[in-house]
C-alpha cells in the first residue's frame, strides 16, 4: 500500500466505495488521516461498515466541518453532464476535490528513496484506444527483462494498492480520462498519449473537453519524456505544444503507418517494420511481422508507444524485441483463442466503438465478423469504409435486425445470440479465414460487461469440435 501523505490528523471524505474508494480510504488511514466514507448505495455502506470504515453522511452539515478534502471515485461526474450533488456541495464550500491518482502522485516518494541507486520511475499511459495493451506490454517487457515492475491504475491493481517501489522499480499506470481530468497531482517520469477518437463525450462536454482531460497528464506536472501519437491532429498539436523545437528530445513522436523523420526522436511502424530514429538516423528496428501477439496496425501503434517509453528509461532495442516476442496479448483485445483447420478465432470484445472495431477489421485478411450489441450514438455506418476484409458479418444483440441495416450491402446474417453467430461463422469459415468478435458496440444489452461477452465467445469456440487453443 502507498500511504497518503499530507493529511496527518485531518478529516478527508471518500465518496464512492468501489475498489478505488476502499483503497483510498485505507491509504488515507495509513497516512494518519481520519478517513470518512460515503456511498449513495445502502448496500455499499453496509459493506463498508462491516469492514470497519467510518461512515459520514454528506447531507449533514457536521460532515463538512474542518474537511480537508473530498476524494471521489472516477465514475462520479464532477462537471458534465452535471456535477454529482456532493461534489457540487464541495465546490460551493471550497473543499478541494481530488481522486486516488492525485493522492498517489503526491504520496509516492518515500524517505528511503535517498538510499536507492536508481529512484523508482512512473510511466503513465493515456489515450482513447490501445492504452491497456500498451501498458501491459510495457510491464511485460520490464518483467521479462528482470526488472521490478508493477501494473496499476485502470488495469491491474488500484494505484494506492501497490507496494512501494524499490530501488530501480517502475510503476506502469493506465489512466483513463476520468482519472486524469480531476487529479490534482500528475507527475509521471514518462507520459504516453496513444491516440484520440470520440468517446465519453457527455462526461467531458464534447470532444474539446475530452482532449483537455487527456492533455492534463502532460501539462499539470511536466513529464521528463512525452511519447505522443501523431496520427491525429490532436496528437500533433500536443507534441507541438510540448516541444521547444524540432530537435527537442524530450518529445518522442510515434506513428503507425507514417514514416517520421527530422532532427528529433521518433518511432514508427511502416510495412511491418518498427524503426527508431534520432537526429535523422535510424538507431533501432524490429520486424513486427514475426510477432504473433501484436497483429495489425492498431497493435503496431501500441508497440511504438511501448517501445518509445521503454527506450526513454534506458532499455535497448534487443531487450524490447525479446519482450515483444513473448507477449501473448490481453484478454478481449485481438486475443487469439482457438484454431481449427486453418481458421483462427480472435476475441476483440474490447472493441466497443467503431474506431477500435475498424482497427481490428484491418488486422486480418479474410474475416467472418461477429458484430453488434448496444450500439453507440452514430450507429455503425461509418464502418462502411473499413469492411473490405470482411467476407460476411454475423450480427448479434437484442436489436440485431436494426443493427444489420447499418451495414449496407455487406453479406450478413442476423443471428441475435452469440451461440448462433459462433456456430454459423465456424460452419462457413474456410482455411485462411479469421472468425473475429469485434462488436463495435457496448455489451450491456446481453452481458454485464465486455469481459463477460468475450469469455462467452471464448467458451463457445473452445467447445467447437476439433478446435485447439491458440495460446
Amino acid at each position: 500500500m502507498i500511504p497518503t501523505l499530507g493529511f496527518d490528523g485531518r478529516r478527508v471524505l471518500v465518496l464512492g466505495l468501489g475498489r478505488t474508494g476502499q483503497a483510498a480510504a485505507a491509504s488515507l488511514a495509513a497516512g494518519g488521516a481520519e478517513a470518512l466514507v460515503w456511498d449513495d448505495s445502502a448496500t455499499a455502506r453496509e459493506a463498508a461498515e462491516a469492514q470497519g470504515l467510518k461512515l459520514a453522511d454528506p447531507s449533514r452539515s457536521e460532515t463538512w466541518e474542518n474537511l480537508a478534502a473530498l476524494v471521489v471515485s472516477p465514475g462520479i461526474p464532477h462537471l458534465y453532464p452535471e456535477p454529482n450533488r456532493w461534489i457540487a456541495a464541495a465546490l460551493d464550500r471550497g473543499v478541494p476535490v481530488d481522486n486516488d491518482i492525485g493522492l498517489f502522485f503526491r504520496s509516492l516518494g518515500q524517505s528511503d528513496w535517498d538510499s536507492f541507486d536508481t529512484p523508482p520511475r512512473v510511466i503513465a499511459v493515456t489515450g482513447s484506444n490501445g492504452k491497456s495493451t500498451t501498458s501491459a506490454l510495457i510491464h511485460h517487457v520490464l518483467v521479462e527483462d528482470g526488472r521490478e515492475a508493477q501494473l496499476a491504475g485502470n488495469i491491474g491493481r488500484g494505484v494506492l494498492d501497490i507496494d512501494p517501489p524499490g530501488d530501480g522499480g517502475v510503476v506502469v499506470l493506465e489512466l483513463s480520462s476520468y482519472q486524469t481530468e480531476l487529479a490534482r497531482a500528475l507527475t509521471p517520469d514518462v507520459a504516453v498519449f496513444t491516440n484520440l477518437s470520440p468517446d465519453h463525450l457527455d462526461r467531458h462536454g464534447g470532444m474539446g473537453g475530452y482532449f483537455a482531460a487527456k492533455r492534463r497528464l502532460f501539462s499539470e506536472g511536466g513529464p521528463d519524456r512525452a511519447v505522443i501519437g501523431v496520427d491525429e491532429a490532436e496528437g500533433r498539436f500536443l507534441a507541438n505544444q510540448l516541444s521547444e523545437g524540432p530537435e527537442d528530445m524530450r518529445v518522442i513522436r510515434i506513428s503507425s503507418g507514417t514514416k517520421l523523420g527530422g532532427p528529433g526522436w521518433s518511432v514508427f511502424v511502416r510495412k511491418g517494420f518498427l524503426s527508431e530514429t534520432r537526429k535523422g538516423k535510424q538507431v533501432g528496428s524490429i520486424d513486427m511481422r514475426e510477432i504473433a501477439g501484436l497483429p495489425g496496425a492498431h497493435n503496431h501503434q501500441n508497440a511504438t508507444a511501448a517501445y518509445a517509453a521503454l527506450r526513454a528509461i534506458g532499455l535497448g532495442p534487443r531487450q524490447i524485441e525479446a519482450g515483444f516476442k513473448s507477449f501473448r496479448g490481453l484478454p478481449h483485445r485481438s486475443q487469439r483463442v482457438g484454431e481449427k483447420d486453418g481458421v483462427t478465432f480472435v476475441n476483440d470484445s474490447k472493441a466497443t466503438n467503431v474506431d477500435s472495431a475498424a482497427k481490428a477489421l484491418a488486422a486480418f485478411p479474410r474475416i467472418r465478423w461477429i458484430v453488434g450489441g448496444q450500439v453507440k450514438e452514430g450507429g455503425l455506418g461509418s464502418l462502411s469504409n473499413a469492411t473490405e476484409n470482411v467476407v460476411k458479418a454475423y450480427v448479434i444483440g437484442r436489436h440485431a435486425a436494426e443493427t444489420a441495416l447499418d451495414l449496407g450491402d455487406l453479406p450478413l446474417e442476423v443471428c441475435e445470440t452469440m451461440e448462433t453467430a459462433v456456430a454459423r461463422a465456424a460452419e462457413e469459415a474456410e482455411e485462411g479465414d479469421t472468425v473475429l468478435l469485434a462488436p463495435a458496440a457496448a455489451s450491456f444489452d446481453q452481458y454485464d460487461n465486455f469481459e463477460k461477452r468475450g469469455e462467452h465467445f471464448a467458451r463457445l469456440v473452445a467447445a467447437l469440435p476439433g478446435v485447439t487453443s491458440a495460446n
Side-chain angles (χ1 to χ4, degrees):
M1 178 184 294
I2 305 293
T4 295
L5 305 180
F7 293 105
D8 189 15
R10 306 175 72 189
R11 302 171 72 246
V12 179
L13 176 61
V14 176
L15 183 63
L17 288 170
R19 182 190 68 166
T20 296
Q22 292 180 39
S27 171
L28 284 159
E34 181 184 355
L36 311 172
V37 300
W38 187 257
D39 195 294
D40 287 343
S41 164
T43 301
R45 294 197 300 270
E46 290 172 4
E49 275 195 303
Q51 295 173 32
L53 298 175
K54 184 177 180 181
L55 297 178
D57 187 345
S59 67
R60 298 181 177 179
S61 59
E62 58 265 28
T63 295
W64 298 95
E65 293 177 5
N66 300 315
L67 198 66
L70 176 68
V71 176
V72 302
S73 296
I76 302 175
H78 71 279
L79 189 57
Y80 302 113
E82 62 180 6
N84 171 276
R85 56 178 174 163
W86 305 128
I87 295 180
L91 299 179
D92 290 341
R93 290 172 167 82
V95 175
V97 180
D98 205 347
N99 61 14
D100 65 322
I101 304 301
L103 299 184
F104 169 83
F105 278 111
R106 71 179 286 164
S107 307
L108 180 62
Q110 305 292 321
S111 59
D112 58 353
W113 285 22
D114 293 338
S115 64
F116 290 169
D117 291 331
T118 303
R121 284 171 288 187
V122 177
I123 300 174
V125 181
T126 195
S128 296
N129 297 305
K131 56 186 179 291
S132 294
T133 296
T134 298
S135 301
L137 181 57
I138 293 169
H139 177 259
H140 174 81
V141 173
L142 289 167
V143 172
E144 289 292 293
D145 196 53
R147 311 290 182 102
E148 178 197 317
Q150 298 181 78
L151 182 62
N154 207 41
I155 187 175
R157 300 164 69 182
V159 292
L160 296 171
D161 270 339
I162 68 171
D163 301 321
D167 194 340
V170 181
V171 178
V172 184
L173 300 182
E174 179 198 337
L175 299 181
S176 71
S177 57
Y178 288 13
Q179 294 168 309
T180 59
E181 69 175 343
L182 193 59
R184 297 173 73 90
L186 286 166
T187 54
D189 298 278
V190 179
V192 179
F193 176 87
T194 59
N195 52 58
L196 197 77
S197 61
D199 210 357
H200 311 304
L201 299 189
D202 58 337
R203 170 65 178 259
H204 299 295
M207 195 68 177
Y210 180 46
F211 177 48
K214 300 287 189 186
R215 187 180 183 278
R216 290 188 78 248
L217 181 61
F218 303 85
S219 61
E220 290 302 303
D224 295 335
R225 287 278 190 275
V227 176
I228 309 295
V230 295
D231 289 334
E232 293 90 27
E234 292 87 353
R236 293 190 290 275
F237 176 81
L238 180 58
N240 183 274
Q241 288 278 296
L242 296 172
S243 174
E244 294 296 328
E247 303 88 0
D248 193 342
M249 304 292 275
R250 296 173 303 167
V251 177
I252 309 175
R253 292 169 171 82
I254 62 171
S255 174
S256 175
T258 301
K259 182 178 180 179
L260 302 177
W265 192 349
S266 63
V267 181
F268 62 90
V269 173
R270 195 160 180 261
K271 297 182 179 179
F273 288 88
L274 182 150
S275 298
E276 176 192 4
T277 64
R278 300 193 203 185
K279 299 180 180 180
K281 297 181 179 179
Q282 181 170 301
V283 296
S285 66
I286 297 176
D287 185 351
M288 297 299 299
R289 298 172 304 174
E290 300 178 356
I291 300 175
L294 294 165
H298 61 309
N299 275 311
H300 290 173
Q301 184 180 61
N302 299 335
T304 63
Y307 179 97
L310 290 161
R311 290 289 279 145
I313 63 169
L315 267 72
R318 298 288 75 83
Q319 293 168 290
I320 298 171
E321 182 178 12
F324 280 9
K325 286 183 175 179
S326 61
F327 184 67
R328 293 292 175 261
L330 286 179
H332 319 299
R333 297 162 176 87
S334 294
Q335 177 194 16
R336 296 172 184 251
V337 296
E339 295 176 356
K340 177 186 178 183
D341 300 330
V343 176
T344 302
F345 296 81
V346 176
N347 167 23
D348 205 335
S349 183
K350 184 62 170 64
T352 58
N353 58 45
V354 295
D355 185 69
S356 54
K359 290 174 179 176
L361 292 173
F364 307 98
R366 286 179 48 85
I367 297 171
R368 304 276 174 177
W369 180 28
I370 299 178
V371 58
Q374 186 173 307
V375 177
K376 297 182 179 180
E377 184 177 355
L380 304 184
S382 61
L383 280 170
S384 59
N385 295 325
T387 58
E388 61 182 20
N389 294 340
V390 176
V391 177
K392 183 176 178 180
Y394 303 82
V395 188
I396 63 172
R398 291 182 183 174
H399 303 288
E402 291 95 327
T403 301
L405 296 176
D406 266 355
L407 300 178
D409 297 330
L410 191 69
L412 60 82
E413 184 172 333
V414 175
C415 297
E416 295 187 349
T417 68
M418 186 73 76
E419 288 88 347
T420 301
V422 170
R424 292 291 297 142
E427 180 182 342
E428 296 183 346
E430 302 173 358
E431 184 177 355
D433 285 357
T434 296
V435 176
L436 172 67
L437 171 64
S443 60
F444 305 123
D445 64 329
Q446 292 180 314
Y447 300 93
D448 290 341
N449 49 52
F450 73 84
E451 292 95 341
K452 295 294 185 185
R453 177 172 60 190
E455 289 164 4
H456 189 202
F457 171 77
R459 287 197 305 272
L460 291 170
V461 170
L464 292 169
V467 166
T468 59
S469 173
N471 295 322

